[in-house]
Amino acid sequence: MAKKAPKDKAGTPSIYVLNGPNLNLLGHREPEVYGRDTLADIHTAVVRHAAGHGLSIEFRQSNHEGDLIDWLQEARTKAGGVILNAAGFSHTSVAILDACRALDRPLIEVHLSNPFRRESFRRHSFVSEAATGVIC
Ligand code: CA2
C-alpha cells in the first residue's frame, strides 16, 4: 500500500525539489544548453505550479554530494515525493543511487538538457536505476 504523504505545518503535502552541483549557475552560463532561466526563476515557477495542486515545495541546491544524500534521507520521512536533478552526480554517484533506493517515495529524475544528445558519459544515470520516472 502507498505511504501517506507527510504534510508541512500548514497541513500541505510537501515535495522536495533537489538540485545538484553547478545548477546555481543556471541563467548565467551556457544558456544555449540550459536556457536563460535562473534557478531562482525555476524555484518561483515550481512553487506557483505546486500551489495550484495543493502542494508545498522544499527547494534546495548544493554543490556537495553529502548534502544531497542527507536531504534524500530527510525526504524519507518529510516528503511525499522527490524531484531530483543530481546534475553531474547522476552519472557518477553510487552513493546517491543508494540514497534514492532507500527513499521509499516516488522519485522523478529531471534534466534540463537532453543528456542522450550529448557526450556518451551522460547516457548512463545511476539515479535512473531508482527513479519512478525520468524527464529530460
Ligand atoms: O541537463 C541537466 O539538467 C544536467 O543534469 C545538468 C548537469 C550535467 O552534468 C548533466 O549531464 C545534465 C550539469 C549542470 C551544470 O549546470 C550549469 C548551468 C549553467 C552553466 C554551467 C553549468
Side-chain angles (χ1 to χ4, degrees):
M1 199 199 300
K3 279 190 175 173
K4 277 196 172 170
K7 297 176 178 170
D8 68 11
K9 283 182 197 138
T12 311
S14 183
I15 304 297
Y16 275 37
V17 179
L18 304 179
N19 298 279
N22 298 306
L23 289 167
N24 54 310
L25 298 177
L26 280 177
H28 303 291
R29 302 275 310 277
E30 299 188 51
E32 68 286 357
V33 181
Y34 299 113
R36 296 196 178 280
D37 285 353
T38 64
L39 197 61
D41 294 332
I42 293 172
H43 183 186
T44 301
V46 168
V47 167
R48 189 172 298 150
H49 189 77
H53 292 277
L55 297 168
S56 77
I57 295 293
E58 186 64 37
F59 193 95
R60 299 181 189 170
Q61 187 275 332
S62 178
N63 293 328
H64 305 282
E65 189 175 15
D67 286 343
L68 294 164
I69 292 166
D70 287 345
W71 296 341
L72 285 162
Q73 291 188 9
E74 182 184 310
R76 297 177 70 231
T77 54
K78 297 205 173 142
V82 174
I83 297 172
L84 173 64
N85 185 348
F89 290 143
S90 314
H91 316 298
T92 63
S93 178
V94 173
I96 287 180
L97 168 60
D98 290 340
C100 289
R101 285 214 169 116
L103 182 61
D104 204 18
R105 304 272 174 209
L107 168 68
I108 303 300
E109 175 182 11
V110 167
H111 297 285
L112 300 169
S113 66
N114 177 358
F116 296 97
R117 282 195 68 172
R118 302 179 66 189
E119 302 96 324
S120 58
F121 62 81
R122 295 185 203 275
R123 287 184 200 141
H124 175 261
S125 162
F126 284 100
V127 174
S128 297
E129 296 184 29
T132 313
V134 181
I135 299 170
C136 61

